[in-house]
Amino acid sequence: MLSSIAGKTVLVTGGSKGIGRGIARVFGAQGAKVMIAARDEKAAKQTVEEIQKRGATAAYHLADVAHWDSVLELAKATENVFGGIDILCANAGIFPQKKITDLTEQDWDNVLATNLKSTFLCTKACIPYFEKAGKGRVIVTSSITGPVTGYPGWSHYGASKAGQLGFLKTAAMELARYNTTINAVMPGNILTEGLESLGETYMARMASAIPLKRLGTVEDIANAALFFASDEAGYITGQQIIVDGGQTLPESLDAITEI
Ligand code: NAP
């Protein structure tokens, strides 16, 4: 049994949908005060109401994590509502698929700003609150795509996700003086609304390529994030954990059809 995060404030970027919503729900269920950041108000409001209905404490603030002014406002708003920030889940991300031949400079910059620059901006904005609290936690949602695997159309996305891991090695050293750890969760294929819309056949084909024979759930990722947020994980920093049902293990097509 892990120590409780009850009463701690967690800022979840991209907390309105998908994996972020799963993190917000799981942390809320553990008694954390959850601040959700996203751009679209409708989804953010819906998620906050859903969490509140389950008896947890949640609020949202509209922000674009790709811009410093917006991130700074977000951190201030979180302090205003909940009195500080104990845990940052830097999760917001986009994954538009485009092959290199069609990819524009603007596409590249947009993905890198939303996925990678945001990790730096959000971490930086939270440091004063971690310093004030005497400790802190940053949990980054990276991916297997980029650091471990490749997928046509996701060169920019893969670069952003690998970049997050490069960032956290040095960030871990710099954050240590604030008694703050930073670690990353690297999800495999996780069942979110976006994926569900691709249909049963597509999802079944994806699941068949995974040793555990199912797609991941948002809770699978949230539980790994919860571990990094716990006191028990206090001596782990600058590290990453793959949560993919073994998806990256088979060394050939034969290896996966053998099981
Ligand atoms: P999703 O369902 O599309 O949700 C993305 C979230 O990020 C939304 O809340 C979105 O809200 C927010 N967001 C996007 N751009 C933003 C911006 N500029 N500023 C603020 N918020 C922004 O995506 P997901 O599948 O849950 O992915 C979440 C994270 O997991 C991403 O970092 C992704 O790379 C990673 N990941 C996902 C999978 C997977 O299988 N789903 C696998 C590996 C890694 P708004 O649009 O309202 O801003």
Side-chain angles (χ1 to χ4, degrees), residues 19-252:
I19 291 175
R21 184 166 64 182
I23 294 174
R25 274 201 307 244
V26 165
F27 278 59
Q30 295 293 320
K33 295 177 281 185
V34 183
M35 175 61 90
I36 283 171
R39 295 162 304 173
D40 171 41
E41 181 157 28
K42 195 169 163 226
K45 195 161 178 266
Q46 248 171 26
T47 301
V48 164
E49 284 169 0
E50 185 201 331
I51 293 171
Q52 287 171 339
K53 266 191 207 135
R54 294 171 184 218
T57 306
Y60 68 86
H61 181 85
L62 299 183
D64 185 339
V65 292
H67 299 283
W68 173 240
D69 290 351
S70 186
V71 169
L72 206 54
E73 276 305 311
L74 168 64
K76 280 187 200 148
T78 309
E79 188 193 33
N80 287 343
V81 176
F82 292 133
I85 304 170
D86 301 300
I87 303 159
L88 163 67
C89 291
N91 165 84
I94 52 170
F95 27 90
Q97 206 173 356
K98 232 185 217 188
K99 291 193 178 149
I100 296 167
T101 43
D102 301 320
L103 199 61
T104 64
E105 187 179 359
Q106 201 187 352
D107 295 329
W108 177 275
D109 288 346
N110 189 27
V111 165
L112 270 284
T114 306
N115 297 0
L116 178 57
K117 187 170 82 170
S118 67
T119 308
F120 147 62
L121 295 180
C122 293
T123 302
K124 181 178 166 78
C126 287
I127 288 176
Y129 303 98
F130 297 149
E131 190 173 13
K132 206 164 148 195
K135 61 178 175 179
R137 289 280 193 277
V138 181
I139 299 118
V140 176
T141 310
S142 174
S143 178
I144 56 168
T145 312
V148 185
T149 61
Y151 203 104
W154 276 330
S155 61
H156 51 343
Y157 175 73
S160 73
K161 294 284 130 181
Q164 287 178 307
L165 300 187
F167 168 76
L168 75 80
K169 301 290 172 203
T170 295
M173 296 176 68
E174 295 186 18
L175 291 175
R177 66 181 298 180
Y178 308 108
N179 192 23
T180 293
T181 65
I182 176 167
N183 295 289
V185 180
M186 298 161 70
N189 288 130
I190 306 305
L191 196 53
T192 55
E193 307 87 312
L195 211 67
E196 266 176 83
S197 69
L198 299 176
E200 291 283 328
T201 317
Y202 180 85
M203 288 195 299
R205 231 181 58 230
M206 283 176 89
S208 70
I210 299 169
L212 286 177
K213 298 295 176 210
R214 68 169 178 86
L215 296 171
T217 64
V218 294
E219 287 79 14
D220 288 324
I221 305 307
N223 287 330
L226 193 61
F227 169 65
F228 281 135
S230 71
D231 285 347
E232 285 77 5
Y235 202 54
I236 304 172
T237 194
Q239 304 304 311
Q240 60 265 343
I241 185 166
I242 292 178
V243 183
D244 73 344
Q247 187 180 340
T248 48
L249 298 176
E251 59 184 36
S252 69

